[in-house]
Amino acid sequence: MGHFQVMEEKGLYRSAHPDTRSWKKRACTVLPTQIPNNKNVIVIVGDLVDSQVVNLKSAVEPLKDLKSNLGTYFVTGNHEYYTVDVDNWFKHLQSLNIHPLHNENAKIFSTTSINDWICLAGVDDIEAAVLRYPGHGMNLEKALNGCSQSDVIVLLAHQPRAAKWALETRPDISLVLSGHTHGGQMFPLTIGAYLMNPFFAGLYKVGESSYVYVTTGTIYYGIPMRLASRSEIVEIILQSH
């Protein structure tokens, strides 16, 4: 494997704030300053929205300005399923040049060699099964179809519990990118988030050669503040040794 740059982001648009114009302004500020245009791949690991397309269509317009050399990809989080509008979100994100990974994968080729690539896979959030959302639900086998044990596999799985299950089933996965926890967002909620998730925030090594990174997210949910947690957009560089 050569050199790949991955930008990981989650949680920009939340209907808990009634003013979508405020969210659009915030996105216009965050996206160009925190996600430079020269990155290979941008991934959004769920909880991007929690309202229907009709309510947030104008607010998400800045997403069309995301520029990556090798594509921008998205997987669902639990909040997307609360919208009961996931399929419409898939269509709208595609119109913004963001590719949903709906239990599927894409080969991401290096800009320097067609023989150098990673298998970027994504699974539906596990909440889809809880809600019995039609046509959705985590399906790791389907998501990794065509990704062999000799490949470099990067899996997008919103919840840390899904990351744990995936690595128990396929320990050959090189890296899992997750979110969901918000780093607890504010104390004392951090205690519950820490206890309820197998991975809480940051980088974890699992087994001999697998890693999990859990991002704390870009903004916030509900109460517009953070305490004893941070907002982040993560740059991950993958390279051979």
Side-chain angles (χ1 to χ4, degrees), residues 182-187 190 200 216 225-231:
H182 302 269
Q185 187 164 318
M186 59 184 182
F187 186 83
T190 47
F200 174 61
T216 57
M225 65 175 293
R226 283 181 178 265
L227 181 63
S229 70
R230 67 178 186 271
S231 297

Side-chain angles (χ1 to χ4, degrees), residues 84-128:
V84 198
D85 201 28
V86 176
D87 294 327
N88 283 332
W89 272 116
F90 279 0
K91 293 175 184 177
H92 189 61
L93 290 174
Q94 287 172 333
S95 75
L96 301 175
N97 205 30
I98 296 173
H99 310 290
L101 292 175
H102 175 33
N103 292 319
E104 57 192 301
N105 65 75
K107 288 185 177 181
I108 308 297
F109 289 90
S110 167
T111 56
T112 58
S113 172
I114 60 172
N115 297 316
D116 193 10
W117 57 279
I118 64 174
C119 182
L120 179 66
V123 291
D124 294 348
D125 184 62
I126 56 179
E127 189 74 7

Side-chain angles (χ1 to χ4, degrees), residues 110-156:
S110 167
T111 56
T112 58
S113 172
I114 60 172
N115 297 316
D116 193 10
W117 57 279
I118 64 174
C119 182
L120 179 66
V123 291
D124 294 348
D125 184 62
I126 56 179
E127 189 74 7
V130 176
L131 298 175
R132 298 182 180 180
Y133 201 96
H136 290 254
M138 179 178 175
N139 187 330
L140 184 65
E141 182 180 1
K142 182 179 177 182
L144 296 184
N145 182 37
C147 300
S148 73
Q149 294 185 1
S150 62
D151 297 331
V152 175
I153 301 173
V154 178
L155 176 69
L156 311 183

Side-chain angles (χ1 to χ4, degrees), residues 35-39 65-69:
I35 306 183
N37 289 337
N38 62 345
K39 301 308 174 188
D65 297 324
L66 288 174
K67 298 293 190 298
S68 55
N69 297 330

